[in-house]
Amino acid sequence: MSLPTIKSLVQGTGRLLAIPRVVGEVLRLLDDSNSRQSEIARHLEQDPALVAILLRLANSPAFAPARTVDSVERAIMLLGREHLRRLVIAGAVTQAADHLPNQDMLPLEIFWRHSAYCAVIARLLAEQLEPRLAGSVFLGGLLHDLGQLLLFTQEPQAEHQAFLNSLGELDTLSPPEAERAVLGFDHAQLGGALAEHWGLPESLVACIRYHHDPLAAPEEHALAVSLVHVANSIAHLAEFDSRDLHDAPPIEPEILARLDLHTEQLMALIEQAQYQILAVEALRNPKLAE
C-alpha cells in the first residue's frame, strides 16, 4: 500500500475538513476597504454556528476589548478588520475540525486542550516581548497542530507507528523526526501546507509549518514562530502540571537566547496559563464556563 503525500492529504480534506464557503466571501469583504460592516455581518449571519464561535473568541482573553462584543458589526467596530479576520479563520477551522470523524488515538478534547494551552502561553509571551503579535500568536498556538489531527484522522496507523517509534527512542528521535521516517513528512509540514491551501495569512502558515523548526522560519515571521515554538513546549508542562523541561519537547537553545528567556520566566507561565485555560476551552464548548 502506497504512503500518502502532503499533496494527496491536503487535496483529500475537501470532504473531510471543509471550510464553509461563507468564510471565503467574508475574508474577501474584509480585504475590501469599500465594503460595509452591514454587508460583512449579513454574509456571516448565513452561518449562525460560525457567528457563535466568533463572538466567543471576540470576548476571549486574547481579543476582548473593554466592552462586550455582542454582534458582528460591534466586533468590526471595536476590534478592527484585521482582528476580525483572525477570528473568522479561527472560528471556521475550529468548526470544521469538530466535524472530523471520532477516533480514539487523539480525542478532540485532548487535542484542543493542548492547543488552548499553547494559544494562551503564546499570547502571554507576546504580551511580555511584542504585544502587537498577541492576537496572531494566539491563533497560531490554537491551530499549530492541525496537521497532527489530520494525520490521526486520515492515517492513524502510520501516525501511531511514528508515535511508538519516538517513544522507543526518546533521546535520539523526536516525534516529527519519527513522522518523517515513516511518512516522509511531519505534521507541521502537513499543517502548513493545509493552511496555505486554504489561503490563510502567511504569518499563520509559518507558525504552523515551523513550530518544531523555528530556526528555518522566514525572517519576517521568525518572532511569531519562536513564540509558538516555546509555547508548544510549555503547554505540555502545563497539561501535566510539571515544572521539568525534560518532560516537554526540547526548546531550541538559540531561540531562548534570542528571546532572552530564562527557566524561571517559563515556569511562571504555567501557573498563569492554568488559571486562564477554562476561558479558552469554553471557546469551543460554552458549557465549560458554566
Side-chain angles (χ1 to χ4, degrees):
M1 184 176 176
S2 61
L3 288 172
T5 63
I6 288 180
K7 183 178 180 180
S8 68
L9 286 170
V10 167
Q11 289 179 338
T13 61
R15 298 179 305 279
L16 186 68
L17 191 59
I19 296 295
R21 186 183 64 180
V22 68
V23 171
E25 297 169 355
V26 168
L27 293 179
R28 178 182 58 78
L29 290 170
L30 288 171
D31 288 338
D32 180 0
S33 59
N34 294 319
S35 63
R36 297 187 302 277
Q37 294 180 12
S38 58
E39 187 179 10
I40 296 168
R42 189 170 65 252
H43 275 78
L44 269 172
E45 285 162 2
Q46 295 174 27
D47 191 334
L50 177 58
V51 170
I53 294 174
L54 188 153
L55 293 179
R56 291 201 297 273
L57 278 163
N59 288 288
S60 76
F63 293 98
R67 290 170 290 175
T68 300
V69 178
D70 55 9
S71 69
V72 174
E73 290 194 54
R74 191 170 176 82
I76 301 171
M77 181 177 67
L78 294 178
L79 300 175
R81 292 190 176 214
E82 187 53 38
H83 273 326
L84 185 64
R85 179 182 175 85
R86 295 185 188 122
L87 294 176
V88 169
I89 291 167
V93 176
T94 300
Q95 183 184 32
D98 281 348
H99 292 154
L100 287 171
N102 288 327
Q103 41 79 34
D104 296 329
M105 294 181 187
L106 183 62
L108 278 176
E109 317 82 80
I110 293 175
F111 170 79
W112 283 121
R113 186 168 181 81
H114 171 70
S115 300
Y117 264 124
C118 188
V120 169
I121 294 169
R123 177 181 56 78
L124 291 170
L125 281 167
E127 287 175 350
Q128 294 177 23
L129 302 173
E130 189 60 73
R132 67 180 176 83
L133 292 178
S136 297
V137 299
F138 179 88
L139 184 52
L142 196 64
L143 302 180
H144 74 289
D145 269 345
L146 196 59
Q148 186 179 49
L149 183 62
L150 191 59
L151 281 175
F152 270 115
T153 304
Q154 290 199 252
E155 294 294 331
Q157 292 183 332
E159 179 67 357
H160 187 56
Q161 185 59 56
F163 174 72
L164 293 176
N165 292 350
S166 68
L167 281 183
E169 301 180 53
L170 281 175
D171 294 333
T172 58
L173 190 67
S174 69
E177 289 171 336
E179 288 173 340
R180 291 194 291 271
V182 172
L183 290 158
F185 56 88
D186 62 43
H187 69 272
Q189 294 168 328
L190 174 61
L194 180 58
E196 191 171 48
H197 175 72
W198 282 339
L200 301 189
E202 287 183 9
S203 60
L204 181 53
V205 172
C207 285
I208 296 172
R209 178 172 283 150
Y210 298 106
H211 70 270
H212 283 299
D213 190 16
L215 298 179
E219 181 60 32
E220 62 268 32
H221 305 305
L223 179 54
V225 171
S226 296
L227 296 176
V228 173
H229 169 71
V230 173
N232 176 56
S233 289
I234 305 306
H236 283 276
L237 299 184
E239 288 173 83
F240 300 109
D241 199 27
S242 170
R243 300 299 186 273
D244 186 346
L245 284 172
H246 292 96
D247 291 340
I251 301 172
E252 283 284 352
E254 186 175 332
I255 296 300
L256 290 178
R258 284 183 191 176
L259 300 178
D260 194 25
L261 288 171
H262 306 284
T263 302
E264 303 76 32
Q265 294 167 277
L266 299 177
M267 296 303 106
L269 293 169
I270 295 174
E271 188 170 344
Q272 290 177 269
Q274 289 173 330
Y275 180 75
Q276 297 182 18
I277 192 64
L278 189 61
V280 179
E281 287 188 304
L283 299 177
R284 290 184 50 255
N285 184 0
K287 292 180 181 179
L288 292 173
E290 295 175 354

